[in-house]
Amino acid sequence: MPRQVGSLPLPPHQRARLQAAGFETTDELQGIGPCQLAEELAIPREEAMGILRMARGQEGPVNYPNALQLLVEEQAEDGLLPTFSSALDDLLGSGVELAVITELCGAPGVGKTQLCLQLAVDIQIPGCFGGLGGQAAYLDTEGSFMPERLQQMSEAVITHCSRLASTKQERDQQDALKTFTPDFILGNVFYFRCFDVTQLIAQSHLLPDFVDSHPKVRLVIIDSVASPFRHGVDDAALRTRLLISLAQRLAQLASTRRLAVVLTNQMTTRIHPNSTQSASLTPALGESWGHAATHRVILQWQGNRRFANLIKSPTRGEATVEFTVTSEGIRDVPTTPSLPATMPAIPTASMFLSSPTIPTSLPSTSTSSNLILKSPSALPSLHMTSASMPPSTSASPAVLGCTAGAISIAGEKRMRNMDD
Amino acid sequence: MVVLRQGLCSGLDAELVASLKARGVTTVQDLVCANLAQLAIDADLPYKRIAMVRRVLVAQLGAFLASAEMAYAELLSSTAILPTGCTALNSLLDCGLYTGELTEITGAPGTGKTQVCACVAVSVACDLKQRVFYIDTTGSLSPSLLLCLTQAKLTEPSLQASALQRIEIVKAFDAFSVLDEVEKFQKRLSEPLLAREEEVRVLLLDSVFSVFSPLFGSGHADGQSFLMHLARQLKFLAKEYNLAVVVTNGVLSSGREALGRAWSHVPNVRISLSMERSGPPNKVAGQSMEVAGPSDEHACTDVEIEDDIVRSDVEMAEMEENIEIDATDDGSDRHVKKFERIETKDTRSESGGGVNSVGDIIRLGGTSAASGGDPKSLRYAKLTKSTRQVSDSVFVPAFPCGRDSLALMVLLIFSITANCFGDTWLMRRNIECLSQNVDSKIYLNMAIN
């Protein structure tokens, strides 16, 4: 069946004229020259040429990648984006996944912005430590971005990496550490402040070009996507349309350039008229928005403890894990005997060396089989060392005092190299 | 409406086209409806010539008659039933996905639509060794998920690789790209088979909601028309090339399926997935917080489910994981546990005769806890529309035998209404009931376009 003219992405007046002249399918447009068409439709010649070009479509054989090629491509990725809490990484499947949209929902204060800041630092971990060595684009709509906190987190990550380098004594790690400084990390976070819906949507249109001109950008954070839409758009149907088209643009950006896109959402109350409980918290922006993100994590409070609940994911099972926010950033909760048994234990190396998402057996007949057997060998050491020394880093008042001093020093520095 | 132009058929040259155009006859429809004698006089053209041109055009472009018997025979020979990879879902769908039909899977976010699509793709690629074309609009199809599902079915790595090579994935993120990709796919199918030993059997589109809903609304009056174009293309592909087309849709806040009433008439079979979360995620002493899953509105009570299951005669056996886990993969069982299969003891489906009714609900399986203390959420699939699987009451007109003319009239009315549904299966069922009383042949027009 030939393509109907009405299904081409043409402006309405051109479509109307084509149909008035009696053209139904693209086949009928094949034998006509642009001048003749322009005359028949009474439109300028350039428009006629545009129509014909669209009607002709792409020519030539098309080859689509098959699942095996995509799998190989996915595993050729040389690094992960950890959250520095092994429980959270495990929840999401060896860190935040690239090429998809991850949504973090939560009540105020639970740690969404903290997690975003942590990811903005973690994306920059050099490849020799198992990271991606990339840059981050941070779109801020609420004004909750704190450079001082970013500085604090980056210092903690650098300390961690230097400990690793000193134990392993590898040349490339020590070389990488020379440039891996707080200034360097802050300089690799591109900050965009969007004050309303229009600016956010405009920025989302500009992001592909920005990413093309800065090819090292591997992470896009939007914190938060809910606030401008909830306050700036009155019409609910328009809001849904704008949100879904934004989601599709982000999904395309993520997929074509293999970025991780992390969005933050707020929570709202849903009333249950028929059920036993009268109301409960649910992610904001409506049901249609729920389809936009690939992975959806709800961060919630229970008393004084923070939990992360994965409620939507095509690849991971539902789970709830606990995490904490320390002066160094997002970390695991240190295991003490008083905690209930539902707490996931500090992972051992064996759990990370055979990473859950990477298979270890595929045929040797495949041309790129040597790419398939991959395990992030450097990354488990990252977690191992954090696991082996939790008490001294998280609870000691001396350390807190030290970092507070660092904050005051950092308060005098301002973020340099902020591109806009 | 086909524009008259030179070369459309033999005998139609530029001069004739121009003179007809001058009389206001621009399309084939105009020519067919025109008064030929008057036109011949007005245009000063030989009547025989115009009449011949008209005859040729009608033969070339018009619909042709076919008998329902022929249509049914063709249907029997060309339809294949594809297993979805989940036994319970197969039983709900009357043994599986039918080629030549459009099946829609709807559900709230997180209920497992992408999972079902992946499962279907892997099932067709591994078990049937046929090719799959997957259009992904959300970017959520993960190759590792496909690998895990493949590893559950096949143990040989070379077989796994060849199965994965049969699944073609294309990513299209807006409506026009989807339309383009479907057109390119159709062009590819219409080319003669060069060295292709395997046919494409399934086309999956995940999801149609995310690309077409931005086109709806007050600003875009023609959003609906683009969706209908896609619907036409997909149905044509399904019928013409014997594919099963599976489409994913979302739900609105009210719980209704998205994309409106017009789209709701398009799919032949509709399944609605829902999820019931049992219990709060973590109960700490004194305080527990509920986080409402998005699909609480769909939650069916246990009693309701039980009734429906009893009605459809499906007995749920124990839920067991019948998946081989590779010994070296320590954590991969997490992926696989999300999609457990149910062994159903269903005598009717074993004999192949189980016909489920619209409105049946089955339980699909739960996600096991990845770490301790997590709830098992149960997923339910409900058959909300099917043109094949009828409900209990079928219209059987009672009229005395031997009254052939009346019978023929009734049957003609039936054929016209069945033609509106466009479904030969439904016609066949109804005809079976009717033919017990009368013995007549039905001729009906099947417009092929």
Side-chain angles (χ1 to χ4, degrees):
Chain A
M1 193 172 86
R3 178 91 179 259
Q4 298 278 314
V5 144
S7 68
L8 292 173
L10 295 168
H13 71 275
Q14 286 181 11
R15 228 181 300 136
R17 294 207 194 180
L18 275 170
Q19 282 169 346
F23 291 101
E24 278 284 316
T25 65
T26 51
D27 283 357
E28 295 160 21
L29 287 171
Q30 294 303 334
I32 299 191
C35 298
Q36 194 183 349
L37 186 65
E39 218 180 281
E40 277 204 34
L41 302 182
I43 52 173
R45 191 165 162 273
E46 294 77 27
E47 288 187 21
M49 280 180 67
I51 294 174
L52 286 176
R53 208 175 304 125
M54 206 172 297
R56 211 167 297 130
Q58 277 113 325
E59 272 143 19
V62 260
N63 276 323
Y64 295 119
N66 57 42
L68 188 66
Q69 291 169 346
L70 287 181
L71 183 71
V72 165
E73 220 175 82
E74 192 184 77
Q75 290 173 5
E77 195 69 62
D78 248 3
L80 306 167
L81 175 54
T83 58
F84 259 85
S85 155
S86 53
L88 272 179
D89 286 343
D90 216 22
L91 182 80
L92 296 165
S94 58
V96 173
E97 197 182 330
L98 295 176
V100 292
I101 300 180
T102 307
E103 188 185 351
L104 307 169
C105 318
V110 75
K112 309 184 290 292
T113 306
Q114 296 293 312
L115 189 50
C116 290
L117 291 171
Q118 181 73 57
L119 290 173
V121 176
D122 294 345
I123 191 76
Q124 304 184 35
I125 296 174
C128 48
F129 292 103
L132 286 163
Q135 296 171 327
Y138 197 107
L139 278 75
D140 187 9
T141 59
E142 290 178 334
S144 48
F145 181 80
M146 289 178 295
E148 302 85 357
R149 183 65 173 136
L150 198 66
Q151 168 107 9
Q152 207 179 18
M153 284 179 172
S154 46
E155 279 165 5
V157 169
I158 292 170
T159 320
H160 197 98
C161 290
S162 7
R163 261 194 229 121
L164 269 180
S166 57
T167 51
K168 279 204 157 179
Q169 295 289 333
E170 271 177 39
R171 191 57 179 285
D172 50 355
Q173 287 185 350
Q174 287 172 347
D175 286 340
L177 273 179
K178 288 186 193 132
T179 49
F180 200 51
T181 61
D183 281 352
F184 173 79
I185 294 179
L186 290 175
N188 279 329
V189 177
F190 299 108
Y191 178 77
F192 302 87
R193 178 78 167 96
C194 302
F195 290 92
D196 60 11
V197 181
T198 320
Q199 290 188 4
L200 180 61
I201 293 178
Q203 196 58 52
S204 70
H205 280 284
L206 296 172
L207 269 177
D209 290 332
F210 176 76
V211 170
D212 283 340
S213 56
H214 297 81
K216 288 188 80 181
V217 171
R218 299 305 302 273
L219 171 66
V220 172
I221 299 171
I222 303 186
D223 179 24
S224 67
V225 78
S227 52
F229 280 97
R230 288 174 96 185
H231 307 308
V233 186
D234 290 325
D235 182 19
L238 176 65
R239 191 180 86 174
T240 310
R241 280 203 305 278
L242 291 173
L243 278 171
I244 295 183
S245 33
L246 173 69
Q248 287 302 113
R249 271 197 299 278
L250 291 172
Q252 183 168 20
L253 181 67
S255 183
T256 47
R257 291 166 179 78
R258 285 203 72 81
L259 313 173
V261 174
V262 176
L263 309 175
T264 314
N265 196 1
Q266 297 166 353
M267 301 291 268
T268 183
T269 308
R270 170 182 281 188
I271 315 284
H272 299 287
N274 300 324
S275 119
T276 48
Q277 34 151 179
S278 54
S280 55
L281 282 184
T282 185
L285 297 179
E287 194 78 359
S288 327
W289 171 252
H291 296 95
T294 306
H295 301 290
R296 207 177 209 194
V297 180
I298 295 189
L299 308 175
Q300 60 208 54
W301 286 105
Q302 286 200 11
N304 278 336
R305 296 158 69 186
R306 294 177 158 92
F307 286 89
N309 182 15
L310 182 72
I311 61 164
K312 178 190 176 191
S313 169
T315 48
R316 307 294 301 170
E318 262 186 74
T320 307
V321 297
E322 190 178 354
F323 67 100
T324 181
V325 178
T326 65
S327 57
E328 298 185 327
I330 305 284
R331 293 291 184 273
D332 275 326
V333 175
T335 39
T336 58
S338 58
L339 285 174
T342 51
M343 248 285 300
I346 302 285
T348 56
S350 59
M351 239 171 110
F352 278 89
L353 281 173
S354 57
S355 175
T357 54
I358 298 174
T360 51
S361 52
L362 265 183
S364 53
T365 49
S366 163
T367 50
S368 38
S369 58
N370 48 352
L371 292 171
I372 293 166
L373 308 173
K374 208 74 198 302
S375 54
S377 48
L379 202 54
S381 52
L382 210 77
H383 287 277
M384 261 176 76
T385 31
S386 76
S388 57
M389 38 188 106
S392 56
T393 51
S394 58
S396 154
V399 175
L400 283 173
C402 170
T403 48
I407 292 175
S408 59
I409 297 168
E412 290 159 17
K413 293 187 191 170
R414 282 283 160 258
M415 255 177 70
R416 290 174 225 145
N417 309 331
M418 271 205 328
D419 282 33
D420 222 350
Chain B
M1 278 217 311
V2 182
V3 176
L4 283 172
R5 58 174 193 273
Q6 176 192 1
L8 190 61
C9 75
S10 61
L12 192 64
D13 55 1
E15 188 198 316
L16 186 59
V17 171
S19 54
L20 285 174
K21 209 165 184 177
R23 298 285 171 278
V25 176
T26 44
T27 64
V28 174
Q29 254 106 324
D30 294 339
L31 182 60
V32 167
C33 302
N35 184 349
L36 281 190
Q38 194 64 37
L39 190 62
I41 295 169
D42 289 341
D44 196 19
L45 291 167
Y47 175 83
K48 241 179 146 177
R49 192 170 164 212
I50 311 181
M52 185 206 64
V53 165
R54 188 167 89 164
R55 224 186 348 262
V56 169
L57 283 174
V58 165
Q60 197 174 316
L61 300 170
F64 66 92
L65 294 175
S67 73
E69 200 183 336
M70 218 166 79
Y72 185 62
E74 194 196 314
L75 198 65
L76 275 186
S77 62
S78 60
T79 307
I81 305 180
L82 311 174
T84 57
C86 171
T87 325
L89 205 56
N90 284 344
S91 68
L92 188 72
L93 286 171
D94 196 12
C95 306
L97 293 169
Y98 277 59
T99 58
E101 282 187 2
L102 197 109
T103 308
E104 188 194 42
I105 304 174
T106 61
T111 44
K113 307 182 288 289
T114 309
Q115 287 259 321
V116 170
C117 288
C119 209
V120 166
V122 165
S123 159
V124 170
C126 295
D127 296 335
L128 300 180
K129 299 197 177 23
Q130 305 260 287
R131 282 164 61 222
V132 174
F133 189 70
Y134 196 115
I135 304 179
D136 184 17
T137 65
T138 53
S140 13
L141 182 69
S142 158
S144 356
L145 170 67
L146 293 174
L147 176 71
C148 276
L149 292 173
T150 316
Q151 283 179 328
K153 284 181 182 278
L154 305 167
T155 43
E156 271 280 321
S158 56
L159 292 178
Q160 290 168 5
S162 52
L164 285 178
Q165 278 172 331
R166 290 187 199 111
I167 305 176
E168 278 181 28
I169 301 170
V170 63
K171 299 204 192 264
F173 293 96
D174 64 280
F176 299 110
S177 315
V178 170
L179 286 166
D180 281 340
E181 295 299 339
V182 170
E183 191 200 348
K184 277 192 267 185
F185 176 65
Q186 190 200 317
K187 275 198 186 132
R188 216 179 63 170
L189 284 185
S190 60
E191 277 160 27
L193 281 162
L194 300 167
R196 265 202 318 236
E197 63 283 358
E198 291 156 349
E199 291 257 345
V200 180
R201 266 286 162 253
V202 184
L203 187 151
L204 294 142
L205 175 54
D206 176 25
S207 71
V208 72
F209 166 72
S210 55
V211 282
F212 278 92
S213 53
L215 294 182
F216 281 43
S218 51
H220 297 90
D222 42 14
Q224 191 87 280
S225 72
F226 290 119
L227 186 59
M228 288 303 125
H229 279 297
L230 179 73
R232 252 172 98 172
Q233 283 274 56
L234 291 177
K235 291 201 106 162
F236 175 75
L237 280 172
K239 273 269 177 314
E240 188 73 9
Y241 300 105
N242 293 322
L243 308 174
V245 179
V246 180
V247 165
T248 314
N249 196 2
V251 288
L252 303 171
S253 310
S254 54
R256 273 191 306 124
E257 285 95 359
L259 295 178
R261 211 170 278 265
W263 171 259
S264 67
H265 296 292
V266 169
N268 299 92
V269 179
R270 284 186 123 179
I271 303 171
S272 164
L273 299 180
S274 59
M275 187 153 60
E276 182 187 280
R277 284 175 212 278
S278 45
N282 262 314
K283 262 207 154 75
V284 182
Q287 256 180 329
S288 66
M289 192 175 99
E290 280 279 340
V291 176
S295 54
D296 272 1
E297 295 164 328
H298 299 291
C300 318
T301 61
D302 282 336
V303 175
E304 229 177 273
I305 295 296
E306 222 35 72
D307 281 347
D308 283 331
I309 288 173
V310 163
R311 181 157 60 96
S312 69
D313 259 356
V314 173
E315 189 184 31
M316 293 293 163
E318 71 276 357
M319 256 196 304
E320 72 173 63
E321 293 173 317
N322 49 352
I323 291 152
E324 307 275 321
I325 298 172
D326 206 336
T328 50
D329 267 342
D330 282 346
S332 69
D333 53 338
R334 272 170 226 220
H335 293 268
V336 164
K337 271 182 191 167
K338 186 161 167 74
F339 212 98
E340 294 172 9
R341 293 201 224 148
I342 301 180
E343 289 296 314
T344 59
K345 289 181 194 143
D346 180 11
T347 50
R348 279 172 68 190
S349 69
E350 269 166 20
S351 61
V355 175
N356 287 22
S357 319
V358 171
D360 282 356
I361 303 176
I362 55 152
R363 204 168 65 194
L364 272 184
T367 58
S368 71
S371 52
D374 286 307
K376 275 186 185 270
S377 354
L378 302 170
R379 285 175 162 74
Y380 297 94
K382 179 175 174 180
L383 186 68
T384 50
K385 176 187 173 184
S386 170
T387 51
R388 266 177 295 108
Q389 295 151 259
V390 298
S391 50
D392 297 334
S393 53
V394 173
F395 170 65
V396 179
F399 48 84
C401 319
R403 301 275 288 272
D404 269 328
S405 56
L406 178 60
L408 190 58
M409 196 167 67
V410 170
L411 284 167
L412 273 173
I413 294 170
F414 233 76
S415 71
I416 292 165
T417 51
N419 200 18
C420 293
F421 298 141
D423 206 287
T424 319
W425 293 107
L426 185 62
M427 258 198 299
R428 178 78 165 95
R429 284 237 167 80
N430 287 317
I431 290 164
E432 265 173 354
C433 300
L434 284 172
S435 62
Q436 290 160 10
N437 291 332
V438 263
D439 191 19
S440 311
K441 285 228 172 93
I442 305 162
Y443 286 91
L444 46 109
N445 280 336
M446 281 176 58
I448 296 187
N449 189 8

